[in-house]
PDB file of all heavy atoms in Angstrom:
ATOM      1  N   THR J 284       7.909  21.216 -18.519  1.00 50.00           N
ATOM      2  CA  THR J 284       9.066  21.390 -19.407  1.00 50.00           C
ATOM      3  C   THR J 284       8.733  21.188 -20.867  1.00 50.00           C
ATOM      4  O   THR J 284       9.322  21.823 -21.729  1.00 50.00           O
ATOM      5  CB  THR J 284      10.198  20.381 -19.038  1.00 50.00           C
ATOM      6  OG1 THR J 284       9.670  19.052 -19.079  1.00 50.00           O
ATOM      7  CG2 THR J 284      10.750  20.678 -17.669  1.00 50.00           C
ATOM      8  N   ILE J 285       7.786  20.338 -21.195  1.00 47.00           N
ATOM      9  CA  ILE J 285       7.465  20.083 -22.611  1.00 47.00           C
ATOM     10  C   ILE J 285       7.041  21.355 -23.341  1.00 47.00           C
ATOM     11  O   ILE J 285       7.480  21.601 -24.460  1.00 47.00           O
ATOM     12  CB  ILE J 285       6.395  18.978 -22.728  1.00 47.00           C
ATOM     13  CG1 ILE J 285       7.089  17.624 -22.527  1.00 47.00           C
ATOM     14  CG2 ILE J 285       5.677  19.036 -24.063  1.00 47.00           C
ATOM     15  CD1 ILE J 285       6.137  16.435 -22.642  1.00 47.00           C
ATOM     16  N   PRO J 286       6.202  22.196 -22.744  1.00 46.00           N
ATOM     17  CA  PRO J 286       5.773  23.389 -23.512  1.00 46.00           C
ATOM     18  C   PRO J 286       6.947  24.230 -23.996  1.00 46.00           C
ATOM     19  O   PRO J 286       6.837  24.933 -24.971  1.00 46.00           O
ATOM     20  CB  PRO J 286       4.927  24.168 -22.491  1.00 46.00           C
ATOM     21  CG  PRO J 286       4.420  23.121 -21.567  1.00 46.00           C
ATOM     22  CD  PRO J 286       5.540  22.117 -21.452  1.00 46.00           C
ATOM     23  N   LYS J 287       8.054  24.185 -23.267  1.00 45.00           N
ATOM     24  CA  LYS J 287       9.205  24.992 -23.694  1.00 45.00           C
ATOM     25  C   LYS J 287       9.649  24.574 -25.085  1.00 45.00           C
ATOM     26  O   LYS J 287      10.103  25.376 -25.868  1.00 45.00           O
ATOM     27  CB  LYS J 287      10.367  24.789 -22.710  1.00 45.00           C
ATOM     28  CG  LYS J 287      10.111  25.253 -21.337  1.00 45.00           C
ATOM     29  CD  LYS J 287      11.325  25.006 -20.468  1.00 45.00           C
ATOM     30  CE  LYS J 287      11.098  23.806 -19.615  1.00 45.00           C
ATOM     31  NZ  LYS J 287      12.200  23.570 -18.686  1.00 45.00           N
ATOM     32  N   LEU J 288       9.519  23.337 -25.366  1.00 44.00           N
ATOM     33  CA  LEU J 288       9.980  22.841 -26.671  1.00 44.00           C
ATOM     34  C   LEU J 288       8.889  22.932 -27.718  1.00 44.00           C
ATOM     35  O   LEU J 288       9.155  23.111 -28.903  1.00 44.00           O
ATOM     36  CB  LEU J 288      10.457  21.369 -26.532  1.00 44.00           C
ATOM     37  CG  LEU J 288      11.505  21.121 -25.471  1.00 44.00           C
ATOM     38  CD1 LEU J 288      11.788  19.637 -25.377  1.00 44.00           C
ATOM     39  CD2 LEU J 288      12.769  21.904 -25.804  1.00 44.00           C
ATOM     40  N   ALA J 289       7.651  22.842 -27.270  1.00 40.00           N
ATOM     41  CA  ALA J 289       6.587  22.680 -28.239  1.00 40.00           C
ATOM     42  C   ALA J 289       5.928  24.001 -28.657  1.00 40.00           C
ATOM     43  O   ALA J 289       5.406  24.077 -29.740  1.00 40.00           O
ATOM     44  CB  ALA J 289       5.521  21.746 -27.686  1.00 40.00           C
ATOM     45  N   PHE J 290       5.974  25.014 -27.807  1.00 42.00           N
ATOM     46  CA  PHE J 290       5.129  26.164 -28.093  1.00 42.00           C
ATOM     47  C   PHE J 290       5.919  27.469 -28.147  1.00 42.00           C
ATOM     48  O   PHE J 290       5.419  28.521 -27.813  1.00 42.00           O
ATOM     49  CB  PHE J 290       4.018  26.266 -27.063  1.00 42.00           C
ATOM     50  CG  PHE J 290       3.182  25.032 -26.998  1.00 42.00           C
ATOM     51  CD1 PHE J 290       3.138  24.260 -25.854  1.00 42.00           C
ATOM     52  CD2 PHE J 290       2.439  24.617 -28.100  1.00 42.00           C
ATOM     53  CE1 PHE J 290       2.355  23.124 -25.801  1.00 42.00           C
ATOM     54  CE2 PHE J 290       1.659  23.471 -28.041  1.00 42.00           C
ATOM     55  CZ  PHE J 290       1.634  22.704 -26.896  1.00 42.00           C
ATOM     56  N   GLY J 291       7.161  27.422 -28.496  1.00 42.00           N
ATOM     57  CA  GLY J 291       7.916  28.652 -28.635  1.00 42.00           C
ATOM     58  C   GLY J 291       7.345  29.546 -29.736  1.00 42.00           C
ATOM     59  O   GLY J 291       7.200  29.114 -30.852  1.00 42.00           O
ATOM     60  N   ASP J 304      11.052  33.381 -25.674  1.00 53.00           N
ATOM     61  CA  ASP J 304       9.984  32.453 -25.330  1.00 53.00           C
ATOM     62  C   ASP J 304      10.428  31.014 -25.431  1.00 53.00           C
ATOM     63  O   ASP J 304       9.633  30.106 -25.583  1.00 53.00           O
ATOM     64  CB  ASP J 304       8.769  32.690 -26.246  1.00 53.00           C
ATOM     65  CG  ASP J 304       9.154  32.698 -27.704  1.00 53.00           C
ATOM     66  OD1 ASP J 304      10.319  32.408 -28.006  1.00 53.00           O
ATOM     67  OD2 ASP J 304       8.275  32.987 -28.521  1.00 53.00           O
ATOM     68  N   ASP J 305      11.685  30.752 -25.368  1.00 54.00           N
ATOM     69  CA  ASP J 305      12.187  29.385 -25.401  1.00 54.00           C
ATOM     70  C   ASP J 305      12.554  29.019 -23.978  1.00 54.00           C
ATOM     71  O   ASP J 305      13.544  29.518 -23.427  1.00 54.00           O
ATOM     72  CB  ASP J 305      13.411  29.317 -26.331  1.00 54.00           C
ATOM     73  CG  ASP J 305      13.922  27.878 -26.450  1.00 54.00           C
ATOM     74  OD1 ASP J 305      13.132  26.963 -26.163  1.00 54.00           O
ATOM     75  OD2 ASP J 305      15.087  27.730 -26.847  1.00 54.00           O
ATOM     76  N   LEU J 306      11.776  28.160 -23.369  1.00 53.00           N
ATOM     77  CA  LEU J 306      11.940  27.900 -21.955  1.00 53.00           C
ATOM     78  C   LEU J 306      12.962  26.787 -21.731  1.00 53.00           C
ATOM     79  O   LEU J 306      12.616  25.634 -21.597  1.00 53.00           O
ATOM     80  CB  LEU J 306      10.594  27.524 -21.351  1.00 53.00           C
ATOM     81  CG  LEU J 306       9.488  28.559 -21.614  1.00 53.00           C
ATOM     82  CD1 LEU J 306       8.214  28.106 -20.983  1.00 53.00           C
ATOM     83  CD2 LEU J 306       9.902  29.881 -21.070  1.00 53.00           C
ATOM     84  N   THR J 307      14.193  27.167 -21.778  1.00 56.00           N
ATOM     85  CA  THR J 307      15.264  26.185 -21.583  1.00 56.00           C
ATOM     86  C   THR J 307      16.111  26.607 -20.415  1.00 56.00           C
ATOM     87  O   THR J 307      15.716  27.455 -19.634  1.00 56.00           O
ATOM     88  CB  THR J 307      16.109  26.049 -22.867  1.00 56.00           C
ATOM     89  OG1 THR J 307      16.552  27.345 -23.227  1.00 56.00           O
ATOM     90  CG2 THR J 307      15.315  25.427 -23.962  1.00 56.00           C
ATOM     91  N   GLY J 325      20.457  24.618 -23.776  1.00 54.00           N
ATOM     92  CA  GLY J 325      19.512  23.523 -23.623  1.00 54.00           C
ATOM     93  C   GLY J 325      18.568  23.374 -24.767  1.00 54.00           C
ATOM     94  O   GLY J 325      17.860  22.402 -24.911  1.00 54.00           O
ATOM     95  N   GLY J 326      18.545  24.408 -25.653  1.00 54.00           N
ATOM     96  CA  GLY J 326      17.705  24.285 -26.829  1.00 54.00           C
ATOM     97  C   GLY J 326      18.367  23.390 -27.846  1.00 54.00           C
ATOM     98  O   GLY J 326      19.537  23.042 -27.749  1.00 54.00           O
ATOM     99  N   LYS J 327      17.610  23.033 -28.838  1.00 52.00           N
ATOM    100  CA  LYS J 327      18.120  22.123 -29.844  1.00 52.00           C
ATOM    101  C   LYS J 327      19.032  22.892 -30.798  1.00 52.00           C
ATOM    102  O   LYS J 327      18.633  23.889 -31.386  1.00 52.00           O
ATOM    103  CB  LYS J 327      16.978  21.503 -30.629  1.00 52.00           C
ATOM    104  CG  LYS J 327      17.421  20.394 -31.556  1.00 52.00           C
ATOM    105  CD  LYS J 327      16.210  19.786 -32.238  1.00 52.00           C
ATOM    106  CE  LYS J 327      16.645  18.657 -33.156  1.00 52.00           C
ATOM    107  NZ  LYS J 327      15.466  18.059 -33.855  1.00 52.00           N
ATOM    108  N   TYR J 344      17.176  27.641 -33.977  1.00 56.00           N
ATOM    109  CA  TYR J 344      16.210  28.328 -33.170  1.00 56.00           C
ATOM    110  C   TYR J 344      16.693  28.406 -31.722  1.00 56.00           C
ATOM    111  O   TYR J 344      17.148  27.391 -31.201  1.00 56.00           O
ATOM    112  CB  TYR J 344      14.835  27.614 -33.204  1.00 56.00           C
ATOM    113  CG  TYR J 344      13.847  28.299 -32.322  1.00 56.00           C
ATOM    114  CD1 TYR J 344      13.164  29.422 -32.803  1.00 56.00           C
ATOM    115  CD2 TYR J 344      13.630  27.882 -31.027  1.00 56.00           C
ATOM    116  CE1 TYR J 344      12.296  30.081 -32.004  1.00 56.00           C
ATOM    117  CE2 TYR J 344      12.755  28.528 -30.214  1.00 56.00           C
ATOM    118  CZ  TYR J 344      12.074  29.631 -30.713  1.00 56.00           C
ATOM    119  OH  TYR J 344      11.206  30.321 -29.917  1.00 56.00           O
TER     120      TYR J 344
END
Side-chain angles (χ1 to χ4, degrees):
Chain J
T284 56
I285 282 180
K287 296 180 258 184
L288 305 176
F290 303 116
D304 51 6
D305 184 20
L306 306 180
T307 54
K327 189 177 181 180
Y344 179 81

